[in-house]
Structures are given as structure tokens and as C-alpha cells.
Amino acid sequence: MMKDQYLENAVLTASPAKLVEMLYEKSVELLKEAKELIEKESFLDANEKIKRVQDIVIELNASLDMERGGQIAQSLRSLYLYMYRTLVEANIKKDIKKIDEILGYFEELLEAWRTAMKSANLDRKPQGGFSISV
């Protein structure tokens, strides 16, 4: 219970940039868990993990500011849509190779996002507001 309360507080007080980082981190964690579950043939549990990542991808896609984000936002939208379709297929077929592909994208996105946050000094205190412009 305490961990859930801590996580809820962390999410509620996080800046929009930090929230994106947290979503990327959670996706990496869930995909690694899904792979382990598929290897153990625990397909229903793997399905739940993959569906949670699909929900995260939908949220990330919805948070893009297409007007101000320019080419980067357009590229991310294309990538998120591809990732979503690939996750659906991976889930149906329980395809670890496809999960590994999406896991790789999330790990790259997480590293790039952290670098961008540092260079923009966005990894500090929340700035207020909740629109994420990418």
C-alpha cells in the first residue's frame, strides 16, 4: 500500500517531461516482464503486461503537441503507431522477437528523453501545467 501511495504522489507531482520518462521506464519494465511470462507460458499474465504497454503508447501518442512539435512530433506519432500495431501482433502471436523490437525502441527513447531533459534542465522541479509539447 505504501509503495502505491508513493507512486501516486510521484506521478501527481511530476512535471510533464518527468511523466514521459516514467511512462518509458514502465514500458521497459512491463515488456521485460511480458517476455519472462511468455517464456514460462503464462500467456494470460503476459497479455495483461502487453496491454498495459499498449495503453501507455496510446497515452504517449495522445500527449503529442502536433502544432508545436513539428517534425519530431510527426516522427514520434509514426513510431508510436508502429509500436502499437507491433505490440498487438506480438500479443496475439506471443512473439518475443517483436517484443524485443519494441523494447529496444523504448530503451532508445528513454535514453534520448533523459538526455533531452538534462540539456533542457527539465529533470528538476515541476514547471506546472500538464501539456507535453514534443
Side-chain angles (χ1 to χ4, degrees):
M1 185 73 165
M2 190 68 128
K3 183 182 176 190
D4 290 342
Q5 196 171 12
Y6 172 80
L7 180 60
E8 183 179 342
N9 189 46
V11 168
L12 291 174
T13 60
S15 67
K18 184 66 177 172
L19 285 172
V20 171
E21 179 185 23
M22 293 168 77
L23 290 172
Y24 286 160
E25 288 171 339
K26 188 64 175 177
S27 296
V28 167
E29 176 188 319
L30 289 167
L31 290 172
K32 287 179 180 178
E33 291 172 7
K35 280 177 48 177
E36 288 177 23
L37 290 165
I38 289 170
E39 287 164 1
K40 293 177 186 172
E41 297 188 6
S42 184
F43 299 124
L44 283 175
D45 292 333
N47 172 59
E48 289 305 312
K49 304 287 183 188
I50 296 168
K51 283 180 11 186
R52 285 181 61 197
V53 178
Q54 288 171 239
D55 290 343
I56 290 171
V57 172
I58 290 169
E59 186 61 37
L60 288 165
N61 188 42
S63 72
L64 292 172
D65 185 335
M66 299 307 290
E67 287 182 29
R68 296 188 321 182
Q71 186 60 45
I72 292 172
Q74 288 176 9
S75 296
L76 281 171
R77 170 142 299 159
S78 295
L79 179 61
Y80 291 155
L81 293 174
Y82 173 78
M83 291 168 74
Y84 184 85
R85 286 192 307 269
T86 304
L87 284 167
V88 169
E89 195 174 326
N91 201 4
I92 292 168
K93 298 178 179 177
K94 301 301 180 253
D95 187 334
I96 288 179
K97 285 184 182 174
K98 290 189 183 304
I99 292 172
D100 276 334
E101 177 187 356
I102 303 307
L103 178 59
Y105 286 133
F106 270 116
E107 288 171 336
E108 287 179 37
L109 286 166
L110 178 57
E111 190 168 323
W113 191 258
R114 285 178 175 156
T115 300
M117 282 175 48
K118 278 189 180 122
S119 64
N121 279 331
L122 291 175
D123 55 349
R124 302 216 193 302
K125 289 267 184 202
Q127 305 296 317
F130 281 92
S131 68
I132 299 172
S133 71
V134 175

